[in-house]
């Protein structure tokens, strides 16, 4: 019998597979497409997920950089520029790799971990029984797995087969058009990389620009074709079924900016995509018996601000260690159910953020007045800091002991000074195992009975006021230095009874 069958070999499914493998569980990944599609989707990652990739040793191989990630000086919220240089602590990180490159990197890591990835395997039915799930494939074969995880996107077959509702709202008010394009050099601003639009001015790069008639975004990615997109709110809504064309995008740009731009196709394959409306939905439950959901299978929302991979990949890392603990038999009672209780509120907060941004970019004089007020508020560092934490997910805190000031928060980038020298936390978390950091050695003995599943590192800690921290595999703090009794209770609560 298979321990875990993951349906979907996108970023979330592959990340979950890697997490399970690190925890000693080797899943089977089922992907209906016979080969990677290479379809252009997300253009990069933003938020705390960049730090998470660093803590699994994936940032360096994806970015090509040998140094740790650093915060970005600027970002955007609802077509407002965010000046993050005004913040004493900037929580916003970014990694500009397209989704196809991310998937390739995660697939390579999965292969290194010996994960069984089966492409061209389409799931058509699921049948749960007491201790397993029968997975039926389109070719007439079937397999049996102790658990099944749907990582198969917003139109999840797994979610439907498990009987999980997907309540929410679908709006058809807006039409978005996106394409990879070329423009003559004379239309590029050499100082900013922005797009010069005659009669309008410069469209800044890598941010949304709102006009009274719509939204435009210009993304001149280094080393690959630039992407241009528009969003409009036609009245009545259009439901054009004809294929998207560059001429259509050019006409849309002219309506949004009041300026005509000469758009050309890139050398080689390019993106031409039109989408109508927006979906905002969260699954009624993340688990039905032995079937669970991650990523877009559990939640969909507008793409503005790019929170999708930040949310989905952290779903996978939260679920991975808990599901592995359940499969291996040491999970404390109810641990697997905390996947939903911890991650659903995060999804709800992302939905709130994307809805707020969608309202701020809408056309109309009333929205313009609202934007004038919001622009004033963003001049205050405390407001920009609040928005930046929301966008990055740095404000996520899981339920924990209210008397512990650090428990439930994401572990800071501490450095441990051991006999072997200074070591970054990101180098200690690449195994995906729970970790006790003990600056004095006073707590190491308490964790000794959990040595089969918890690593202990002793030495002075730099970058935190805590003298000791118990770090979960997803890099959230389970406990910070109190006394021996509270540490023993936290070890048992998170990682089961000692052996």
């Amino acid at each position: 019998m298979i321990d875990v069958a993951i349906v979907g070999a996108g970023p979330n499914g592959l990340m979950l597979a890697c997490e399970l493998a690190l925890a000693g569980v080797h899943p089977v990944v089922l992907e209906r497409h016979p080969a990677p599609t290479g379809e252009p989707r997300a253009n990069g990652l933003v938020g705390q997920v960049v730090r998470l990739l660093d803590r699994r040793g994936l940032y360096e191989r994806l970015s090509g950089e040998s140094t740790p990630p650093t915060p970005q000086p600027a970002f955007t919220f609802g077509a407002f520029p965010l000046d993050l240089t005004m913040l004493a602590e900037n929580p916003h990180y970014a990694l500009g790799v397209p989704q196809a490159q991310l998937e390739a990197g995660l697939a390579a890591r999965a292969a290194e971990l010996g994960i069984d990835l089966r492409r061209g395997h389409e799931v058509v039915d699921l049948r749960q029984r007491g201790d397993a799930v029968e997975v039926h494939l389109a070719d007439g074969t079937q397999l049996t797995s102790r658990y099944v995880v749907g990582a198969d996107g917003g139109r999840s077959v797994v979610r439907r087969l498990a009987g999980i509702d997907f309540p929410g709202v679908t709006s058809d008010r807006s039409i978005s058009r996106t394409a990879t394009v070329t423009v003559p050099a004379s239309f590029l601003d050499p100082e900013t990389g922005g797009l010069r639009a005659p009669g309008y001015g410069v469209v800044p790069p890598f941010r949304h620009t709102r006009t009274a008639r719509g939204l435009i975004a210009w993304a001149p990615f280094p080393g690959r074709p630039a992407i241009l997109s528009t969003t409009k709110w036609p009245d009545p809504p259009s439901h054009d079924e004809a294929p998207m064309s560059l001429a259509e995008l050019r006409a849309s740009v002219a309506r949004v900016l009041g300026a005509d731009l000469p758009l050309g196709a890139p050398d080689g394959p390019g993106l031409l995509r039109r989408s109508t409306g927006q979906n905002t939905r969260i699954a009624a439950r993340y688990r039905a018996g032995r079937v669970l959901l991650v990523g877009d299978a559990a939640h969909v929302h507008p793409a503005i601000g790019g929170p999708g991979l930040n949310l989905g990949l952290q779903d996978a890392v939260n679920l991975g260690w808990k599901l592995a603990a359940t499969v291996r038999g040491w999970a404390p009672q109810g641990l697997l159910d905390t996947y939903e209780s911890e991650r659903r509120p995060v999804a709800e907060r992302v939905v709130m953020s994307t809805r707020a941004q969608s309202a701020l970019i809408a056309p109309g004089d009333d929205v313009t007045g609202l934007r004038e007020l919001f622009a004033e508020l963003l001049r205050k560092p405390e407001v920009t800091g609040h928005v930046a934490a929301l966008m990055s997910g740095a404000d996520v805190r899981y339920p924990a002991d209210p008397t512990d000031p650090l428990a439930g928060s994401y572990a800071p980038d501490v450095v441990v000074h051991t006999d072997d020298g200074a070591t970054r936390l990101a180098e200690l978390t690449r195994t995906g195992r729970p970790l006790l950091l003990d600056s004095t050695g006073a707590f190491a003995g308490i964790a000794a009975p959990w040595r089969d599943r918890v690593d202990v590192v002793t030495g002075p800690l730099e970058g935190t006021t805590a003298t000791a921290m118990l770090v979960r595999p997803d890099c959230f703090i389970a406990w910070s230095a109190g006394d021996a009794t509270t540490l023993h209770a936290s070890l048992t609560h998170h990682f089961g009874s000692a052996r």
Side-chain angles (χ1 to χ4, degrees), residues 450-493:
W450 283 267
R451 65 171 60 89
D452 63 313
R453 71 203 81 149
V454 179
D455 293 335
V456 177
V457 178
T458 58
L461 304 180
E462 177 186 347
T464 180
T465 57
T467 56
M469 290 191 300
L470 180 62
V471 181
R472 304 182 344 175
D474 57 0
C475 294
F476 279 80
I477 298 173
W479 168 92
S480 66
D483 56 33
T485 301
T486 57
L487 174 57
H488 189 281
S490 185
L491 285 163
T492 304
H493 176 74

Side-chain angles (χ1 to χ4, degrees), residues 15 61 126 196 226 229 378 418 467 475:
M15 189 73 184
R61 68 166 67 188
L126 299 175
R196 286 176 169 169
S229 65
L378 287 176
T418 69
T467 56
C475 294

Side-chain angles (χ1 to χ4, degrees), residues 170-177 215 230-239 274-279 302 358 361-363:
T170 298
S171 168
D172 65 354
R173 291 180 57 238
S174 63
I175 297 180
S176 297
R177 298 173 174 89
L215 197 73
T230 63
T231 302
K232 280 190 54 61
W233 290 261
D235 188 19
S238 170
H239 298 280
R274 179 200 308 115
S275 58
T276 300
Q278 296 177 331
N279 266 321
S358 297
I361 63 174

